Amino acid sequence: MGDHKEQPLRVGAAVRRRRRALQLTLAVVAERSGLSVPFLSQVENDRARPSTSSLEKVADALRTTAVELLAAADPACSVDVVRADGTEPLPHPQTRSLVRGHHQMHASEFTGDHDAGREFQYRNDQLMYVADGAVEIEAEGRAYRLGRGDTLYLTGGVRHRWRAAESDTRVIVVAVAEHIEAVRDRPRR
């Protein structure tokens, strides 16, 4: 019970990701597939399950296959447990994903040393939490040292690099998923 693999698939998010990757509107996909915009919207929001025939039409409109869309589908679960003991022991350093599938949030756990020379710049916001040990982070020309329990928030686009400052350091990084474009609120007119 509660196993991620037992859940039925939700194809809507896969359809939306593919459509956005191709920079298509729902209207264009509707025109190409012969399906209505409201129906496609319901599919993308998992309020309607397309028949095999409809899924094939959507896939053709998105220049892919129904099989590919199903392979990229998310399990239909609102709760998923990722057990620590379910991973293969790897030599340090190691990275472990804490969220399975394609969701609006991504989270990873980094254990051990990290390549301090590697610079990162993500499109979307992220939060770093030091679970154990300490890290040294360089961001926007400033250096920060974080210890156990400290967090650092980085807005999208900030270049940064970091390294473990102590052995057995564990860092949790939570971010808005890369396939989601985080946009700032624009003033309404």
Side-chain angles (χ1 to χ4, degrees):
M1 185 162 177
D3 189 333
H4 190 71
K5 295 176 184 171
E6 294 173 0
Q7 303 294 330
L9 293 178
R10 295 184 323 181
V11 74
V15 170
R16 183 182 312 108
R17 282 191 299 274
R18 178 70 181 174
R19 178 179 62 79
R20 287 180 177 170
L22 294 173
Q23 298 180 336
L24 300 175
T25 64
L26 280 173
V28 169
V29 176
E31 183 179 319
R32 288 182 181 178
S33 67
L35 302 169
S36 72
V37 171
F39 174 71
L40 290 171
S41 177
Q42 289 178 343
V43 167
E44 283 194 0
N45 291 299
D46 290 311
R47 287 191 218 111
R49 290 183 60 175
S51 66
T52 302
S53 173
S54 293
L55 186 59
E56 287 171 357
K57 290 176 182 179
V58 170
D60 287 344
L62 296 174
R63 299 184 189 115
T64 189
T65 65
V67 172
E68 288 294 321
L69 288 174
L70 288 170
D74 294 335
C77 61
S78 57
V79 177
D80 185 30
V81 176
V82 178
R83 302 237 180 247
D85 58 19
T87 60
E88 294 281 323
L90 299 172
H92 279 14
Q94 78 177 38
T95 303
R96 178 172 75 100
S97 181
L98 302 175
V99 177
R100 291 182 272 218
H102 296 278
H103 299 286
Q104 294 180 17
M105 180 189 75
H106 179 74
S108 296
E109 175 187 57
F110 297 89
T111 305
D113 204 2
H114 188 70
D115 181 4
R118 185 172 176 201
E119 186 175 73
F120 298 92
Q121 181 181 25
Y122 296 103
R123 180 174 65 192
N124 296 326
D125 297 356
Q126 77 178 68
L127 176 83
M128 296 178 74
Y129 170 75
V130 180
D132 286 309
V135 296
E136 292 175 350
I137 302 168
E138 191 179 310
E140 293 191 325
R142 293 186 60 194
Y144 303 89
R145 183 178 173 96
L146 303 180
R148 182 180 180 173
D150 291 342
T151 62
L152 177 80
Y153 177 84
L154 298 163
T155 59
V158 172
R159 292 183 184 275
H160 63 283
R161 67 181 86 232
W162 65 277
R163 72 173 194 85
E166 297 176 5
S167 62
D168 295 329
T169 292
R170 284 189 319 123
V171 176
I172 309 296
V173 177
V174 179
V176 174
E178 282 298 303
H179 66 275
I180 304 293
E181 180 69 38
V183 294
R184 306 288 178 241
D185 287 338
R186 293 186 180 100
R188 294 185 182 195
R189 293 180 180 167

